[in-house]
Amino acid sequence: MTTAAHWHALAQATTLPFGHFIDGAYSAEGEDTVAIHDPARGTLLQDAINGGKAMADVAVDAAQKAFQTSSWAGCHPRERGAVLLKLAELIEAQAERFAILESLCTGKPMGDTVGAEIPEAVNSLRYFGELPDKLRGETTASNADTLHYLLRQPLGVVAAIVPWNFPLNMAVWKVAPALAAGNSVVLKPAEQTPWTALLLAELFVEAGGPPGVFNVVTGRGDQAGKALAMSPKVAKIGFTGSTRVGQLIHSYVGQSSLKTVALECGGKSPQIVMNDVADMDAALDAAIFGAFGNAGQVCNAGSRLILHEAIHDHFVEQLVERTRASQIMGDPFEDTTTLGPLINRAAHNRILGMIDAGVKDGAELVLGGKPGSDSAGNFIEPTIFARADSSMSIAQQEIFGPVLTILRAKDATEAVQLANDTSYGLAAAIWSGSLDTVHRMAAQIQAGVIWVNCFDAGDMTQPFGGWKQSGTGRDKGVDALMSYTQAKSVWMALGDL
Ligand code: NAD
């Protein structure tokens, strides 16, 4: 059997999870349904349940009850860690099932789900599974008649709202540290991609997690998502998604109750390649991966390439040639496919509109620009604009598709100015062989994450999050675990001996 035939057979045999997962069981109650279409083939895959406010409230109540009555928050931290480690093992054992569920609804090439998305989620669970008993409080210096110490305690009910571009990973980045710290969780996946979230919660119970500690409510953002952000019983909202919805989350929280808000939002991340770049081949590969990985549907996509004028023409020529050779659209189940479709028709049409705007604004279209030849799927050719101006919409807005905009800089100072000339500040990459250049640029670029002579590198120890309109929170790392705890100060008067 070819690999594609294997995946097609497995897809046929895979049952799609359906409903919400609340208090340890599936429930199919809801307002109405949301159609999930196959982005690569256009066919209807499932009418998923839209939970709405009612089911979001039911899930929050289940989480609150479990926080108050189950052993989760109060058990030995190593017991929580053991459940997360077991969950990682269960996912690993069913990696192909997770990968199929992820590829079917997102259109991601199987190489990406099997090779990156699923193993990354397993790594994240292992990282946070090993952390719970490393949490520490503090004692402070005080008089002999006082003992003052700080306890780190869980927040209570955490609501996590996540997007569709890396459904499992984005969920695990929030759910794992929140659970590790002893909280109960309600997760709302994006309406297009609920399945791996549901399976994750189901396996949490199989791994020994108490029912009600980890719940999933599926449905539309402006109904179920809004209800979670408005709920007075939720102590923290961890949100990953667009800047527009991030702003709405703030407004909901302002109208309801005081709760902690952590936002991981959009980006328009620069990759700067200087004239003294040491490894031009690696920079070219990174430019392609940065722009077209996951069809450009990546928060930290390197969608603004800033080239030093001395290497500009050669780099663009090489980039076009290599992109043409490496970015192959097609069936996500085929080994040869490297460029998947856009998530839905609306995104497809919006991005074609942005490409038209780039042409009208006067940028030079050096590659692509058209829909893919398979009209049933939401494909768009890998598209490259050169000689753009930083003020153009293709240079300023998050396109979230396979579109790369190239700007030209005469020197390092102008490159930094261009890098910072955006409302976003998620990530940036610098390619240069000069230590002076990279350290000075790294200090001056306004972004939460800087890569030097690499792109999208790192591991679970690296806090990930944005500056400016890219967000306010940090996922990954020990900081993420701490962000799901709160400090309690205990001031104790000591009597005489
Ligand atoms: P989105 O903002 O449309 O949706 C994200 C989530 O919010 C979904 O679950 C959605 O249902 C929910 N939502 C939508 N409207 C809501 C509302 N009114 N109230 C509450 N919840 C609501 O984003 P998307 O299209 O799913 O994802 C793409 C965006 O996510 C891009 O902007 C991308 O940059 C961003 N993203 C950021 C990171 C990061 O770590 N910074 C990672 C991945 C994606």
Side-chain angles (χ1 to χ4, degrees):
M1 211 193 263
T2 66
T3 317
H6 167 72
W7 295 128
H8 279 290
L10 198 57
Q12 286 290 324
T14 300
T15 308
L16 306 177
F18 179 73
H20 318 282
F21 192 82
I22 299 176
D23 212 5
Y26 278 95
S27 146
E29 284 180 48
E31 313 275 315
D32 53 14
T33 55
V34 182
I36 300 178
H37 286 101
D38 181 337
R41 303 167 187 90
T43 50
L44 178 68
L45 294 167
Q46 188 187 59
D47 281 318
I49 294 290
N50 173 34
K53 179 178 182 320
M55 291 313 288
D57 288 347
V58 171
V60 169
D61 285 346
Q64 192 181 48
K65 185 166 146 246
F67 184 73
Q68 288 162 353
T69 60
S70 84
S71 57
W72 188 251
C75 70
H76 193 288
R78 280 231 287 277
E79 289 176 35
R80 290 198 297 273
V83 172
L84 296 180
L85 294 174
K86 179 71 185 168
L87 178 56
E89 199 183 302
L90 293 175
I91 295 174
E92 209 166 36
Q94 304 190 32
E96 288 201 345
R97 183 176 171 206
F98 272 90
I100 281 285
L101 290 174
E102 206 82 321
S103 277
L104 266 181
C105 58
T106 58
K108 283 173 197 279
M110 284 305 293
D112 293 358
T113 43
V114 174
E117 169 98 23
I118 310 306
E120 284 297 316
V122 169
N123 277 346
S124 304
L125 279 164
R126 293 216 162 106
Y127 178 83
F128 287 110
E130 285 163 4
L131 276 188
D133 64 348
K134 317 295 183 297
L135 258 180
R136 289 199 303 195
E138 272 175 51
T139 53
T140 63
S142 52
N143 292 333
D145 59 2
T146 303
L147 174 64
H148 177 219
Y149 58 93
L150 297 170
L151 291 173
R152 301 296 322 180
Q153 295 195 319
L155 299 162
V157 178
V158 168
I161 302 179
V162 297
W164 47 263
N165 62 336
F166 295 97
L168 184 62
N169 252 335
M170 293 302 98
V172 169
W173 280 9
K174 298 197 187 306
V175 168
L179 291 173
N183 299 282
S184 290
V185 171
V186 179
L187 168 66
K188 199 209 80 64
E191 35 280 66
Q192 304 89 336
T193 55
W195 302 325
T196 50
L198 290 164
L199 196 50
L200 182 71
E202 186 188 328
L203 293 184
F204 172 77
V205 175
E206 194 179 322
V213 165
F214 178 14
N215 309 276
V216 175
V217 61
T218 67
R220 295 201 171 84
D222 56 1
Q223 297 174 17
K226 179 176 178 182
L228 292 176
M230 297 282 287
S231 171
K233 296 177 184 171
V234 168
K236 173 170 179 172
I237 286 277
F239 169 82
T240 301
S242 62
T243 299
R244 182 188 65 81
V245 176
Q247 288 171 324
L248 286 175
I249 300 280
H250 261 302
S251 74
Y252 301 149
V253 169
Q255 292 166 50
S256 54
S257 60
L258 287 181
K259 51 174 83 73
T260 308
V261 182
L263 305 176
E264 305 285 346
C265 299
K268 189 75 183 172
S269 299
Q271 281 220 63
I272 299 173
V273 187
M274 294 301 291
N275 51 328
D276 58 1
V277 53
D279 187 343
M280 181 80 87
D281 278 334
L284 280 159
D285 287 345
I288 293 170
F289 174 66
F292 306 118
N294 208 34
Q297 301 168 119
V298 181
C299 53
N300 59 268
S303 53
R304 284 193 319 145
L305 184 62
I306 300 169
L307 299 178
H308 188 281
E309 62 182 15
I311 55 151
H312 179 276
D313 293 356
H314 173 69
F315 200 96
V316 172
E317 193 184 299
Q318 288 287 305
L319 189 64
V320 168
E321 205 173 291
R322 289 186 189 204
T323 302
R324 205 176 262 134
S326 66
Q327 297 306 298
I328 313 296
M329 289 181 280
D331 179 357
F333 290 172
E334 287 288 350
D335 283 348
T336 46
T337 300
T338 49
L339 186 67
L342 282 309
I343 186 72
N344 55 28
R345 208 23 81 128
H348 177 264
N349 294 343
R350 178 182 57 77
I351 292 162
L352 288 174
M354 294 200 71
I355 293 173
D356 281 348
V359 172
K360 282 196 192 103
D361 285 346
E364 185 186 343
L365 184 65
V366 292
L367 186 71
K370 294 199 287 298
S373 55
D374 172 3
S375 58
N378 306 321
F379 294 93
I380 293 184
E381 292 176 345
T383 297
I384 302 179
F385 280 105
R387 295 173 207 287
D389 184 278
S390 183
S391 64
M392 293 176 182
S393 58
I394 54 166
Q396 288 294 327
Q397 292 179 26
E398 185 184 42
I399 297 177
F400 226 57
V403 182
L404 176 64
T405 302
I406 303 176
L407 305 168
R408 211 180 150 107
K410 65 176 182 303
D411 55 23
T413 304
E414 191 183 18
V416 171
Q417 272 165 7
L418 288 170
N420 288 338
D421 183 25
T422 158
S423 58
Y424 294 107
L426 186 51
I430 304 161
W431 293 84
S432 165
S434 154
L435 279 177
D436 295 337
T437 302
V438 295
H439 285 305
R440 284 191 181 274
M441 280 189 169
Q444 289 174 23
I445 291 174
Q446 297 155 356
V449 180
I450 307 277
W451 292 293
V452 176
N453 294 329
C454 59
F455 183 81
D456 205 11
D459 62 19
M460 284 307 295
T461 63
Q462 178 194 36
F464 185 86
W467 286 22
K468 295 157 65 175
Q469 300 306 302
S470 290
T472 57
R474 292 291 178 274
D475 284 325
K476 307 199 319 185
V478 178
D479 289 3
L481 180 72
M482 297 299 280
S483 77
Y484 290 99
T485 68
Q486 54 193 336
K488 179 185 282 173
S489 154
V490 181
W491 187 278
M492 189 171 167
L494 300 179
D496 295 333
L497 271 181

